[in-house]
């Protein structure tokens, strides 16, 4: 009986080792075989707007090296960011208003008003936290002598003091300028009275386009007149698969893209592509910030004269297109 038990144990051990080896081989094959990542798709179609470029793209001859562009693409995934409604309207208190002393300007938007120095001080803020604040300080009727750098510094310091500056804001800025026609002894001349400083956002080091920005209007005396805060806090993010470059180029050909041509292009030669983000704040599309491809292209009009353009295409795959 002892010999039988020993023999049985040897057989059992050999069988066990064989089973383990088979499982190991199966596991190795499974791991080494390329797996298709599964994502729960979120997001929605970006409505770029009724722009001339969307229609004129359909009739253009589009050329590009798809393989070269695909190899230059940094990643196959990016993030879709999701905003939630704000829990309170504490920014109203920051500007001297009582939080509960408001009227409803329109659905889901609060309107605060008080007397300012020159005009009425007012605040309009939506349920996601985007707002327009007028300080009550008006235009000064004299030509501005402040430099662009002066205005950037004034705007930055104001936002910083109010606790509105974000670490993902780009401090370089761009400008909106308001000129007024002034009568002189020799006729009329245009004078710059107001300069608006635009600060743009980045997410994960990637620029955010659309209308996401903070704009600060400054008068000729260097006083802040208005703040337009077109940004929301995106509290959630989801990794999402991206369209291939070939799929994105097909989107351009069908007119599902954003471009601001002031002419009808006959030829579009795409040179390069980068990934950015798109946010459409203060609309029913506020909820999402989504990845887009920005294609740099050389375009020719009907006369054959060349120019340059950026063509933007939504980059993330959408639930309705994957069913």
């Amino acid at each position: 009986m002892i010999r039988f038990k020993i023999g049985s144990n040897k057989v059992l051990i050999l069988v066990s080792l064989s089973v383990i080896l088979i499982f190991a081989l199966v596991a190795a094959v499974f791991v080494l075989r390329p797996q298709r990542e599964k994502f729960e798709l979120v997001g929605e179609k970006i409505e770029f707007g009724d722009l001339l470029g969307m229609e004129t793209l359909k009739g253009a001859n589009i050329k590009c090296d798809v393989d070269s562009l695909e190899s230059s693409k940094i990643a196959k995934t990016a993030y879709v960011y999701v905003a939630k409604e704000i829990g309170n309207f504490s920014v109203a208190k920051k500007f001297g208003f009582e939080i509960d002393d408001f009227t409803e300007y329109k659905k889901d938007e609060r309107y605060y008003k008080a007397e300012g120095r020159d005009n009425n001080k007012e605040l309009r803020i939506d349920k996601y936290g985007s707002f327009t604040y007028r300080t009550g300080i008006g235009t000064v009727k004299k030509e501005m002598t402040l430099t662009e750098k002066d205005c950037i510094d004034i705007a930055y310091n104001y936002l910083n003091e109010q606790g509105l500056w974000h670490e993902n804001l780009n401090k370089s800025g761009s400008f909106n300028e308001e000129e007024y026609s002034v009568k002189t002894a020799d006729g009329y001349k245009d004078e710059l009275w107001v300069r608006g400083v635009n600060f743009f956002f980045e997410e994960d080091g990637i620029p955010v386009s659309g209308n996401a920005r903070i704009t600060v209007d400054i008068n000729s005396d260097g006083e802040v007149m208005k703040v337009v805060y077109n940004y929301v806090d995106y509290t959630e993010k989801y990794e999402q698969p991206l369209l291939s470059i070939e799929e994105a180029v097909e989107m351009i050909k069908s007119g599902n893209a954003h471009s601001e041509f002031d002419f009808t292009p006959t030829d579009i030669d795409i040179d390069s592509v980068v990934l950015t983000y798109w946010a459409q704040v203060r609309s029913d599309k506020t909820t999402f910030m989504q990845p887009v491809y920005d294609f740099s292209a050389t375009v020719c009009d009907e006369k054959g004269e060349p120019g340059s353009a950026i063509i933007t295409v939504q980059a993330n795959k959408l639930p309705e297109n994957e069913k």
Side-chain angles (χ1 to χ4, degrees), residues 46 48 74 78-79 81 201-203 205-210 242 273-279 289-295 310-316:
I46 297 174
F48 289 117
I74 297 173
Y79 290 98
Y81 292 82
F201 287 85
E202 294 181 349
E203 200 67 55
I206 299 174
V208 178
S209 50
L242 300 178
V273 61
V274 294
L275 185 74
T276 64
Y277 283 99
W278 183 278
M289 180 167 65
Q290 302 176 100
V292 294
Y293 291 131
D294 279 347
F295 291 93
I310 300 294
I311 303 173
T312 302
V313 179
Q314 184 164 4
N316 56 304

Side-chain angles (χ1 to χ4, degrees), residues 187-257:
Y188 288 87
K189 72 169 185 174
D190 291 333
E191 290 185 353
L192 175 62
W193 287 1
V194 178
R195 179 178 283 131
V197 182
N198 302 304
F199 295 110
F200 296 92
F201 287 85
E202 294 181 349
E203 200 67 55
D204 297 327
I206 299 174
V208 178
S209 50
N211 68 348
R213 70 199 64 180
I214 298 178
T215 301
V216 181
D217 285 353
I218 298 165
N219 68 18
S220 301
D221 282 343
E223 299 170 305
V224 172
M225 301 167 54
K226 183 173 71 172
V227 177
V228 180
Y229 190 92
N230 270 13
Y231 198 68
V232 299
D233 289 328
Y234 294 93
T235 56
E236 298 178 5
K237 68 178 184 178
Y238 300 89
E239 188 177 12
Q240 298 287 284
L242 300 178
L243 296 176
S244 68
I245 294 299
E246 184 176 9
E247 291 171 317
V249 171
E250 288 301 315
M251 297 282 282
I252 298 175
K253 291 179 179 179
S254 64
N256 291 310

Side-chain angles (χ1 to χ4, degrees), residues 3 5 26 30 64 78 85 115 135 171 183 228 268 278 303:
R3 288 178 183 175
K5 286 185 177 179
V26 171
F30 183 79
C64 68
E85 296 180 18
E115 293 301 317
T135 64
K171 196 180 174 183
K183 188 174 183 179
V228 180
I268 300 175
W278 183 278
K303 297 179 180 178

